[in-house]
Amino acid sequence: LRSCSPGRARRTNASRRACLVARFGDIYAQERLDAETLLRTYISDTEMVQRIIYIAAVESFHAAKMAYRQFKIRVRETLSLGHSGPESLEDTVMDYIVRHEDLYDVQASVNEVIRSMNINPKISFPPEIDFIVISTLIRELCRVAFSMQTLVPPLDIAFGTDGELFSETKYHRSFDSDFTAALVAYHVWPALMENDVVIVKGEAVTKR
């Protein structure tokens, strides 16, 4: 194991949080639109394109959180063998993960996301194409989701379901929404949450 600096995770928590929240916004503004442009060359249905991207985001957070839990267990098991303080084992584990996030096998998570998307009944893709075409978006989402797990408290995305009551605090309406409709037809982008409080609104389409 490489050496680690005690207390690094705690000291840098606020600055890392600010960077990660900003990065999540950048992905929405840049990589999401790039992926949408790419998908439109294969799929003419706008709703299907937006559903694919939303599900990619949800699955990326799920895969990254699973990978983080497994990574943390391995680090804790290894560090506990020689841990003597002065900081707690938990702090030492977090410091190590923050310093060595490059050890996260992001490609394994990308593969997991694509596998999950291939069996998702809500989305479909022309058989000659693979969801790997949006792997840049998936990779960036996995990276940011993994890093968000190292924060105290960790950040996560809101759980969304088709047909749920539209929430002004959680989502912006897409420009092509029916602004008088009360229910979400489908989601375009997830909201970012901290302790069940929305810190970045997502985007949803409302229709009657």
Side-chain angles (χ1 to χ4, degrees):
L1 286 173
R2 292 178 253 176
S3 63
C4 57
S5 141
R8 181 187 176 90
R10 286 179 187 272
R11 284 200 316 273
T12 60
N13 194 75
S15 60
R16 288 186 296 113
R17 179 188 181 278
C19 287
L20 289 167
V21 171
R23 181 70 190 115
F24 185 75
D26 290 344
I27 293 171
Y28 169 76
Q30 187 60 58
E31 281 90 346
R32 177 187 69 93
L33 293 181
D34 291 346
E36 199 169 289
T37 302
L38 194 57
L39 288 174
R40 284 180 189 278
T41 63
Y42 306 109
I43 304 169
S44 57
D45 180 1
T46 299
E47 179 178 332
M48 183 56 69
V49 166
Q50 292 181 327
R51 279 183 180 274
I52 287 169
I53 289 171
Y54 175 76
I55 287 168
V58 171
E59 293 293 349
S60 294
F61 265 78
H62 179 70
K65 286 191 295 180
M66 291 288 288
Y68 174 80
R69 281 196 285 270
Q70 291 160 3
F71 188 76
K72 190 175 180 182
I73 288 167
R74 290 198 303 274
V75 171
R76 186 187 287 116
E77 284 174 351
T78 306
L79 292 182
S80 65
L81 299 174
H83 178 73
S84 57
E87 66 285 342
S88 70
L89 176 61
E90 191 63 20
D91 280 354
T92 306
V93 168
M94 290 303 288
D95 288 344
Y96 182 87
I97 295 172
V98 167
R99 282 180 68 95
H100 304 306
E101 285 183 51
D102 57 305
L103 298 178
Y104 164 43
D105 185 358
V106 68
Q107 188 56 48
S109 290
V110 172
N111 296 342
E112 185 58 42
V113 171
I114 291 169
R115 265 197 301 274
S116 298
M117 291 176 72
N118 280 330
I119 58 171
N120 191 305
K122 285 189 178 176
I123 52 176
S124 58
F125 219 30
E128 68 277 10
I129 310 300
D130 191 283
F131 287 120
I132 203 162
V133 297
I134 57 165
S135 59
T136 299
L137 171 69
I138 295 168
R139 181 174 286 103
E140 293 308 305
L141 282 165
C142 285
R143 280 206 180 107
V144 81
F146 185 91
S147 296
M148 283 175 173
Q149 304 317 300
T150 69
L151 298 174
V152 182
L155 302 184
D156 200 359
I157 53 172
F159 178 74
T161 55
D162 292 354
E164 71 179 317
L165 195 63
F166 177 78
S167 166
E168 293 279 0
T169 59
K170 202 178 277 187
Y171 300 106
H172 296 290
R173 276 186 170 92
S174 287
F175 71 92
D176 53 347
S177 292
D178 177 342
F179 280 68
T180 62
L183 302 180
V184 172
Y186 64 93
H187 299 80
V188 175
W189 194 249
L192 191 64
M193 312 285 285
E194 181 179 67
N195 281 343
D196 297 326
V197 176
V198 177
I199 56 171
V200 179
K201 284 187 180 184
E203 186 179 335
V205 175
T206 54
K207 286 181 181 171
R208 289 193 174 279

